[in-house]
Amino acid sequence: MTTTQKIHRAIGATAAAAIGLVLLTGCGGDSAALPEGWDKLDTKSLSVGYPGDQGYKEQPEAELAKGNAAVALKEESGLRTGMVSVQLDFATGVDDAGEAAAAAGAGIGVGATRKATEDVRLTGPESARDARRIDYEFTSSGEDRTPAQGTRMTGVVVAGVDSKKVPFAVRINAVKGTLSTKDLDAFVDSITVK
């Protein structure tokens, strides 16, 4: 084999290795798959899906409440019957998913009933994949265009820290019975941390 052939073979092997590396890394990281008909809220720390085909619509940035980085709402007859919200950097001294969940859980509210708490793995960089999911139920206050006072609501909060150690909380609230367990799982599975 000539020197030129050896050089070409080395270049070919290097190129093949580089292509393989790109395929393995997914060109900058993987994103969670969204169910058909879903749209995505995108923030600097994470993205999360929401069912646009079920009437959820992204709230304009100018209308976001203080503390929310992104929100998708479902409104029926002028009432907010479903909401997906993202809060970033909502607590100080938070370094991991457990601490983020403790801080986010404190915001669930008096009178809420916790149903389950579990560790989950999200899509994204290895350092940011650990999160904690809290399922709960609460009663609507009937204030601020929420369903009538006494309406039972389902809630899920997923909390963790992104790759830059910024704490996040994704909250899903809806009238009880309007979202199935499969729907709630799909929200969680749609989260991609950055």
Side-chain angles (χ1 to χ4, degrees), residues 77-169:
S77 302
L79 298 178
R80 297 181 308 161
T81 59
M83 180 178 73
V84 181
S85 67
V86 179
Q87 296 175 311
L88 303 177
D89 209 9
F90 63 92
T92 56
V94 171
D95 293 319
D96 61 29
E99 292 172 352
I108 288 175
V110 177
T113 305
R114 289 190 188 211
K115 296 293 187 180
T117 301
E118 65 177 312
D119 292 334
V120 293
R121 296 274 288 163
L122 305 176
T123 302
E126 187 60 38
S127 64
R129 293 188 64 199
D130 291 332
R132 190 158 291 162
R133 171 181 173 166
I134 303 169
D135 289 71
Y136 59 99
E137 290 183 4
F138 63 102
T139 302
S140 176
S141 66
E143 298 172 2
D144 194 25
R145 295 181 24 239
T146 58
Q149 184 176 4
T151 301
R152 289 302 286 168
M153 306 288 288
T154 297
V156 173
V157 62
V158 178
V161 294
D162 71 9
S163 61
K164 295 180 180 173
K165 295 297 182 187
V166 174
F168 64 82

Side-chain angles (χ1 to χ4, degrees), residues 51-73:
D53 62 350
Q54 293 181 34
Y56 284 78
K57 294 181 181 169
E58 186 169 357
Q59 192 174 29
E61 189 174 343
E63 296 177 17
L64 293 175
K66 184 179 179 183
N68 285 333
V71 172
L73 293 174

